Amino acid sequence: MRLGHLQFDHPLMLAPLSGISDYPFRRIAKENGCSLVVTEMVSAEGLLRKGESFLKIGKDENPLSVQLFGSNPEILADAAQRVESMGADAIDINMGCPAKEVIEAGAGVDLMRSPERVKGILKKVRKKVRCPLTIKIRSGWDRENINAVEIATLAEDCGVDAISIHPRTKAQGFHGQADWNLIKEVKLAVHIPVIGNGDVTTPCLARRMFEETGCDGVMIGRGALGNPWIFRLKNFLKGEERVILPPSLEERRDMIHYHFSLTQDHYGEKGAVRMIRKNVYWYTKGLPYCASFHSRLSSLKEREALFEAIRSYFDFIKRREKCHLFKSMESRSATGGGEKTF
Ligand SMILES: Cc1cc2nc3c(=O)[nH]c(=O)nc-3n(C[C@H](O)[C@H](O)[C@H](O)COP(=O)(O)O)c2cc1C
């Protein structure tokens, strides 16, 4: 897949995830095979006001796309120019966010209600930046107003280099199923790359999205939470049928430690403990007795206490695994049961 001058041989991308896809998260995705990472949405206005402190770009995470949100064409264009000068390899404009505050400001998915505003923004931004420019859209506002194809063709006419589509309407939020047929419709309507997004949580689903929609790239969001291994798909996507094994307990535990060390370097120790807890939750979700471990997580405010709880939890399930009780405990944890505390 090509994105302007950027070329990817395994087009798997990390979706922008507000409050989640920070530098440590992006770097881990990248190290596991993700070809393009996208920052969480960044306010164009905030960026212009606060400058570089508002957005940290790591030296080793290129190619990187920065996602901007806003509604004012001049402000978006100036912010895009600023971001390009800061080292972004691509710029994405958010046209899909359904959050109330974003919509009230006329940004996010609200833009899809007005193709004229979309056109005004894209023309201005296109003139100001040379790097690849993309947009991320939803299906449309609601079931009666599905206009992804119209917005995609308009964007192509304005010089946009690729379209990412999460085919749910604003009204759907994150409910129901993403309508992959719409990805196919958009792909058939434009000549620029189309990146499919929505409900890809396993390697098989990634491959199915490519096959069923003809999309050029697949963007993964929630499927990457606590699961950077999902990006190790290069050979699988090329047709290799080898079974992809889930990560072992040791790999999970080591990944937590690695994620923590990157987070600590980025935010300092106190900030790291706060930031890592949700990731620890995702890395251990579905493991035996996780419910009882998770219930303690939010109370662990110090690094030592957190690490001790992680060590004790992993030691416990490891011992049980050795005792061949693993399988029966797995089914208990699936029901949220488990009286052991960690
Ligand atoms: C917690 C969370 C934060 C998100 N933040 C953003 C964002 O900043 N920008 C954006 O375009 N989409 C955002 N999204 C939407 C995702 O990028 C993606 O389109 C959606 O989750 C569907 O893909 P998935 O099924 O692979 O998760 C967010 C989604 C979630 C769950």
Side-chain angles (χ1 to χ4, degrees):
M1 180 186 136
R2 290 191 75 81
L3 190 55
H5 63 278
L6 304 171
Q7 171 100 43
F8 309 108
D9 68 335
H10 54 291
L12 288 172
M13 288 160 200
L14 174 66
L17 295 165
S18 181
I20 299 169
S21 55
D22 56 2
Y23 167 71
F25 196 95
R26 299 196 297 267
R27 174 149 162 202
I28 288 175
K30 188 140 260 184
E31 287 172 358
N32 280 276
C34 175
S35 49
L36 181 71
V37 290
V38 188
T39 65
E40 63 181 321
M41 59 180 180
V42 175
S43 155
E45 215 178 308
L47 186 107
L48 288 178
R49 233 182 317 115
K50 298 194 182 154
E52 310 211 348
S53 64
F54 210 60
L55 170 72
K56 286 199 180 116
I57 295 180
K59 284 193 171 51
D60 43 11
E61 58 172 334
N62 299 82
L64 167 80
S65 173
V66 172
Q67 188 187 64
L68 293 171
F69 77 94
S71 59
N72 180 308
E74 277 81 21
I75 291 177
L76 275 164
D78 288 348
Q81 195 176 38
R82 178 83 167 263
V83 162
E84 186 178 35
S85 72
M86 285 166 67
D89 301 283
I91 285 155
D92 184 62
I93 308 285
N94 182 318
M95 298 193 178
C97 179
K100 194 164 170 265
E101 338 58 274
V102 173
I103 288 174
E104 279 172 2
V109 71
D110 194 58
L111 291 170
M112 289 189 74
R113 293 210 276 187
S114 167
E116 274 310 306
R117 280 166 61 215
V118 170
K119 195 167 159 184
I121 287 171
L122 294 179
K123 288 216 150 145
K124 280 259 185 293
V125 178
R126 182 68 287 176
K127 269 194 197 143
K128 284 261 173 113
V129 293
R130 290 154 57 135
C131 67
L133 173 64
T134 63
I135 58 170
K136 183 162 176 283
I137 58 175
R138 279 188 171 241
S139 307
W141 188 257
D142 56 21
R143 216 169 27 179
E144 285 71 46
N145 294 283
I146 291 180
N147 63 345
V149 168
E150 180 193 3
I151 297 290
T153 44
L154 181 157
E156 180 177 31
D157 291 345
C158 293
V160 160
D161 295 287
I163 316 274
S164 308
I165 169 159
H166 170 209
R168 281 187 174 90
T169 62
K170 181 262 167 195
Q172 272 181 293
F174 289 91
H175 299 292
Q177 256 193 320
D179 175 11
W180 288 8
N181 285 326
L182 194 60
I183 301 175
K184 191 174 176 178
E185 281 181 43
V186 170
K187 172 66 191 161
L188 290 173
V190 297
H191 303 96
I192 51 177
V194 172
I195 299 150
N197 168 236
D199 302 345
V200 172
T201 49
T202 64
C204 289
L205 285 170
R207 189 147 87 179
R208 240 179 74 195
M209 184 181 270
F210 277 113
E211 287 168 359
E212 288 182 12
T213 69
C215 64
D216 303 277
V218 165
M219 180 178 262
I220 301 175
R222 290 165 297 174
L225 301 181
N227 187 21
W229 299 277
I230 197 165
F231 293 111
R232 293 187 187 175
L233 287 180
K234 194 171 163 181
N235 294 333
F236 181 69
L237 292 176
K238 285 181 177 160
E240 190 184 88
E241 287 303 339
R242 193 165 53 89
V243 174
I244 300 178
L245 294 171
S248 65
L249 287 177
E250 284 78 11
E251 280 176 291
R252 281 181 196 275
R253 193 199 48 212
D254 292 350
M255 189 62 87
I256 291 174
H257 285 266
Y258 180 54
H259 201 140
F260 183 83
S261 72
L262 291 177
T263 308
Q264 182 169 257
D265 291 346
H266 197 63
Y267 298 102
E269 186 175 314
K270 267 263 178 276
V273 173
R274 188 170 35 82
M275 296 298 292
I276 200 70
R277 281 195 302 247
K278 57 179 180 282
N279 288 291
V280 174
Y281 172 87
W282 290 318
Y283 281 120
T284 52
K285 201 173 160 200
L287 293 183
Y289 285 106
C290 65
S292 129
F293 174 57
H294 290 163
S295 68
R296 278 198 66 206
L297 266 178
S298 61
S299 66
L300 302 168
K301 309 258 190 278
E302 303 298 328
R303 179 197 145 115
E304 283 65 34
L306 177 67
F307 273 46
E308 176 51 29
I310 293 168
R311 192 196 54 72
S312 150
Y313 174 62
F314 274 91
D315 282 355
F316 177 78
I317 51 178
K318 191 78 199 156
R319 281 200 302 277
R320 289 301 183 278
E321 192 183 35
K322 280 194 186 127
C323 293
H324 307 287
L325 284 172
F326 200 70
K327 281 283 162 222
S328 65
M329 286 170 67
E330 232 175 3
S331 60
R332 286 171 68 182
S333 98
T335 61
E339 66 291 336
K340 178 87 175 84
T341 53
F342 300 92

